[in-house]
Amino acid sequence: MDNQGVTADPQLQQFIEIESQKQRFQQLVHQMTEVCWEKCMDKPGPKLDSRTEVCFVNCVERFIDTSQFILNRLEQTQRSRGTFSETMTD
């Protein structure tokens, strides 16, 4: 069977990329929820007290900051490796 048709279809590739991005985002939200819940939630109740609410806000902000930092670092690493490998082949 010929696999070129599957890999050559730009609409299919775009759809797969979008769905993959959605999945990564959902995983990130799930992980963030789990981490922040364990860190901030002492005892579930009908309302969040101000200390718990502040903890959740700070936890989410730190999680997002950390995730963004890691993504930026990986991107920089990939770029430097790409540049390095390009200079090696010249």
Side-chain angles (χ1 to χ4, degrees):
M1 184 170 202
D2 186 13
N3 286 335
Q4 280 185 321
V6 174
T7 58
D9 185 0
Q11 286 182 332
L12 180 59
Q13 287 178 343
Q14 183 180 14
F15 175 78
I16 291 170
E17 180 60 32
I18 290 169
E19 292 302 311
S20 295
Q21 288 175 358
K22 287 180 187 177
Q23 180 185 17
R24 287 190 297 268
F25 180 76
Q26 288 174 343
Q27 288 172 335
L28 186 65
V29 169
H30 177 74
Q31 184 181 10
M32 178 181 61
T33 302
E34 188 174 330
V35 166
C36 293
W37 181 269
E38 291 297 320
K39 180 174 180 53
C40 298
M41 198 64 180
D42 294 330
K43 53 186 185 279
K47 288 186 173 182
L48 291 178
D49 61 4
S50 62
R51 184 183 67 79
T52 304
E53 186 176 348
V54 168
C55 181
F56 273 116
V57 168
N58 288 334
C59 181
V60 168
E61 288 176 354
R62 295 301 74 80
F63 193 92
I64 291 170
D65 290 345
T66 303
S67 297
Q68 189 63 46
F69 174 80
I70 291 170
L71 288 173
N72 289 339
R73 180 64 66 141
L74 287 172
E75 189 177 288
Q76 288 173 353
T77 303
Q78 286 178 341
R79 271 195 238 133
S80 66
R81 285 186 181 169
T83 324
F84 178 73
S85 64
E86 289 171 7
T87 58
M88 293 295 288
T89 57
D90 288 345

